[in-house]
Amino acid sequence: MKFNGRSEVPVETSQIKQIAGRAGRYRTAAQATEMSGNVSSSPDAKTSNMSPDVSPAQTLGLVTTLDRSGLSVIQKAMTSQADPIMSAGIFPPDSVLISFAAYFPPSTPFSYILIRLHNTSLLNPRFHLCILKEHLKIADAIEPVKNLTISDRIIFCAAPATVKDKDDPMIPVLRELAECVANNSGGNILDIRGLKLELLEMEVNLGSRMFLEKLEALHKALVLYLWLSYRFAGVFNTQAMAFYIKTLVEEKIQTVLSRRTFTKRIEKQKSAIPTDFANIKRHHSESENQDSRKLGAYLSDHGRSEKGLSSTDFQIAFNIPDQIQGSRSRHGTQSRSSLDLVASLRGQKTVQEAVKGEASP
């Protein structure tokens, strides 16, 4: 299951296969580049892009799930055919967007230009334009920034940033980074006020979920900064420091999550103790009442009193198995469970006293 922004929906077979397919990518791009000189010139080696000393078994990826209940869904999806793709999603090239924007006045909001292009485009039935939801939100977020070219706005709209609402903490970060590009300066990561780096110096607050959300927002902002540093290298020139800070934030998030998980587990165990104790106490009370009713019924049926009852009487009254009673005659002692029962009903404190009591009824 996945959350689509409105509700929980099943993951489609094509999506499961796409995610599972990554399990076979056991080698990074850097490793593949290093091994390219050792690749055999045979047709098979070129097709598989494997080193001669790598067997096909080593390239086999394994896919599993966190919960056992989801494993059957994965197995069924991997053995079934995905629905055919009826059309491919595309987005207008930058050159088309720039040419189309030239027909509008310079003050026209970029989000309006995107909507107009989306509505007026004529496409072959095998293609469709991708949804502009995130692009429009980012375009509106950086619209107040002046001196940005259409090319700059196109790059920002394609950035890995998510804007949920008008109060999203990503909006001020987007605007500040866009101003750095517009002014062609001020891209030092320590000068970006929207990056709440002071979170790294704060003590871990396990009781506040807001603290974890702020850390996650900072991590997303750092990812955005690093992404832009590859497009505007002359502006965002502290990439190495950004990577280091990103590592610190990830360690902080990991610490918070591990401690929160441990704390929740301890609290759950503590909260379960009183409930279990209450259940045990109630069960013990119910057992005592039931034993008293059994004994009263036995005494009433046989016209006898509790004083002077033998172990045989207790065996009959409480349906004690014969093999337990028989162990007393063979070994001169009775099992602890039946002796405890006898001692409890006679009001005696120890098992030894119960044995003495049975010896002289």
Side-chain angles (χ1 to χ4, degrees), residues 18-33:
Q18 182 180 14
I19 297 171
R22 299 185 65 85
R25 304 176 189 176
Y26 69 99
R27 193 186 297 133
T28 64
Q31 292 172 327
T33 302

Side-chain angles (χ1 to χ4, degrees), residues 15 23 66 84 98 108 137 139 320:
Q15 295 173 331
L66 290 177
I98 294 173
T108 305
K137 289 182 178 180
I320 300 175

Side-chain angles (χ1 to χ4, degrees), residues 142-189:
I142 63 174
E143 186 61 38
V145 180
K146 305 301 180 182
N147 300 326
L148 279 178
T149 65
I150 295 297
S151 298
D152 295 337
R153 295 185 186 276
I154 293 174
I155 293 176
F156 269 90
C157 287
T162 302
V163 178
K164 297 180 180 178
D165 50 51
K166 62 180 181 179
D167 298 324
D168 196 294
M170 183 61 73
I171 293 179
V173 177
L174 279 166
R175 288 178 180 172
E176 191 171 0
L177 296 176
E179 288 175 355
C180 292
V181 173
N183 300 328
N184 199 28
S185 63
N188 190 304
I189 192 170

Side-chain angles (χ1 to χ4, degrees), residues 97 100-101 103-105 107-120 132 135-137 139-140 143 153 157:
L97 273 172
F100 188 74
Y103 291 99
F104 296 86
S107 59
T108 305
F110 187 62
S111 60
Y112 176 79
I113 297 175
L114 291 175
I115 293 174
R116 289 293 298 165
L117 178 61
H118 191 277
N119 293 336
T120 58
L132 299 175
H135 292 75
L136 296 177
K137 289 182 178 180
D140 289 336
E143 186 61 38
R153 295 185 186 276
C157 287

Side-chain angles (χ1 to χ4, degrees), residues 64-228:
T64 187
T65 57
L66 290 177
D67 299 324
R68 182 180 293 274
S69 59
L71 190 57
S72 59
V73 178
I74 299 297
Q75 292 172 337
K76 181 179 179 180
M78 296 301 292
T79 56
S80 61
Q81 291 292 333
D83 296 334
I85 299 175
M86 306 307 297
S87 65
I90 60 175
F91 195 78
D94 294 357
S95 58
V96 174
L97 273 172
I98 294 173
S99 300
F100 188 74
Y103 291 99
F104 296 86
S107 59
T108 305
F110 187 62
S111 60
Y112 176 79
I113 297 175
L114 291 175
I115 293 174
R116 289 293 298 165
L117 178 61
H118 191 277
N119 293 336
T120 58
S121 298
L122 297 177
L123 299 176
N124 186 286
R126 293 183 176 273
F127 301 93
H128 66 271
L129 286 178
C130 296
I131 299 176
L132 299 175
K133 182 178 179 181
E134 294 300 331
H135 292 75
L136 296 177
K137 289 182 178 180
I138 296 177
D140 289 336
I142 63 174
E143 186 61 38
V145 180
K146 305 301 180 182
N147 300 326
L148 279 178
T149 65
I150 295 297
S151 298
D152 295 337
R153 295 185 186 276
I154 293 174
I155 293 176
F156 269 90
C157 287
T162 302
V163 178
K164 297 180 180 178
D165 50 51
K166 62 180 181 179
D167 298 324
D168 196 294
M170 183 61 73
I171 293 179
V173 177
L174 279 166
R175 288 178 180 172
E176 191 171 0
L177 296 176
E179 288 175 355
C180 292
V181 173
N183 300 328
N184 199 28
S185 63
N188 190 304
I189 192 170
L190 299 179
D191 297 332
I192 307 299
R193 298 182 302 275
L195 298 177
K196 306 300 182 182
L197 301 180
E198 62 272 13
L199 291 173
L200 296 174
E201 300 177 357
M202 296 175 60
E203 293 294 330
V204 176
N205 187 355
L206 300 179
S208 175
R209 178 171 178 81
M210 187 177 297
F211 180 72
L212 180 59
E213 291 176 351
K214 289 181 178 179
L215 284 175
E216 293 174 344
L218 175 58
H219 187 269
K220 293 177 181 178
L222 290 170
V223 171
L224 174 61
Y225 179 93
L226 289 169
W227 189 87
L228 291 172

